[in-house]
Amino acid sequence: MDGDAAETKAAETAAPRPNIVVILADDAGLMDFGAFGGEAHTPNIDALAARGAMFTQFRASPLCSPSRAMLLTGMDNHLTGFATIPEVLPSEQRGKPGYSMALEPGVLTLADRLRGIGYRTLMVGKWHLGEKADASPQAHGFDRSFALAASGADNWEKRPYIPYYKDAPWYENGVEAGLPDDFYSSKFIVDKMIAYLNQTDRSKPFFAYLPFQAIHIPVQAPADLIAKYKGRYAAGWDVLRRERQQRAKALGLVPPDAAMADLPPGYRHWTDLSNADRAVYAARMEVHAAMLEAMDHHVGRLIAHLKANGQYDNTIFVFASDNGPEPSRGDDNHLLRAWHRVVGYHVGLDGMGGRGSWGFIGPEWAAATATPGAWFKFYATEGGVRVPLVIAGPGVAAARIDTPAMMTDIAPTLLDWIGAPGGGAERGIRPITGRSLLPIITGKAKSAYARDEVRVIEVSGNTALYKGDFKITRSVLPLGDGRWRLFDVASDPGESTNLAIARPELLTEMVAEYDAYAARMGVLAMPDDYDSAQQTVTNNIRQMLANYPWLYGVMTGGMVLAGLLIWGLFRVLRRLFGRSAGRSPLPGVPG
């Protein structure tokens, strides 16, 4: 046998490239899953953590689209086109490079790269990386996709969850699609993925991307699972914070003497609530835990399918969350309440978690579930960006990884693992900025980052820069003040002691490093007094008027009608009081 024939024979008998399954939770905190200390029953994800690499110092961005872009491309979010999300984008940044709200030219996804080397590329779940045809999954490397283009949607039926959307934009292979009568988001995502696996060429390895809706608003779950958690959260969020802090210490997620995280401004204590409100809020967390369990149950169904087909042992699994817990409420916003009445949502106790229920946990539960980190989603505080990561697969020994990892590191890790090319800048393709974690997973290295190497996160002015044990962070309105703070996150992961005054030289040095990063990545400054909550309201109103042009007429007519009513009332008062006093009640108005 000559050399060429031997090489061909070796290639034919070599082990097939591994399959890849990427599972993304939505708005789950570091400790929401059982393996990381959570209350929800999540045996399938816990089993992956037990047999694979469990990362305790993994960071995402504080918002979903930037994290999803980073995950799928391995690039800093500003280089992908998703510096932020459309819902909080100010008009001053609209359409600017890095802020286009679409994957920009030269950006390749994992699906692009893997399809190019013979993988089947399949996706079911939340996309939120663009709704137009040239921004949908099939335009970015996916052979088959059933994708929700919005930031969220109902989990029981095809309906929008906020006024920003006219409907729930689900698309199959780029064509708007309906949902089955027995739709529940976590079940459907796995059902459809199994169907795609069965329908596509089984001789090829596959890349399966499953971005779940769990546990994004609206928080909804099957009633039988909700019942399992009855009473679990009756002690309230202050107690849960303390419980999770103690479990974090027991699990080594924080040092034994770590202080509790700072509370967000406006935080209500459990004792501030009436008994009726406590019952409602405790029930909201029961649905939250049940939604996590439902997701895990259906992940288990996918795993069982792969085992039954002999594919499990040669499959890489990645599990992560896109950002920390969601703090938004559904009971303190007049616009949202009015919209709920129009479309038929409720936020009450009866039927909570079922059809028509607009579930949420609110800022206090979000802060509690973000423990041991401070604050929550939207902010680059630890509660907003420190989330779970598990990587398991062939040849990976069970290990706990306590060195840094970033969302941008997942794509290069997978490409490195299967021996796929990850470069291409010379071909007009934007380069990957993340690091391969494979040497850490395989025990050949302790960290993907040098001790004093800088790592940066920035989304809509909410910023974190890490260097060694230290972190500087800046938070904007409505909860932040735009000032830089300095923390030793190794000893103070709850960001309770600001070292800015004690270590001014270090703060100055790290801010300069952030400025250099911002210039390099094209980060735009936020408008003066930018407030993400106010911007969301503005963008919702603008989008509602675009979705429902007749509303403009109603609003304009309403203002005219209000003016006429005020003038009519004035005329009545003028007649009454002017006649009784013998003169006009207002100077200069005839009697």
Side-chain angles (χ1 to χ4, degrees), residues 52 59 99 149-150 153 160 282 420 475:
R59 304 305 193 284
Y99 296 75
S475 299

Side-chain angles (χ1 to χ4, degrees), residues 216-220 284 287 345-347 352-353 357-361:
H216 193 281
I217 287 174
V219 182
Q220 299 165 318
R284 289 185 174 128
V287 181
Y345 271 126
H346 73 85
V347 296
M352 186 178 290
S357 169
W358 199 90
F360 67 93
I361 62 171

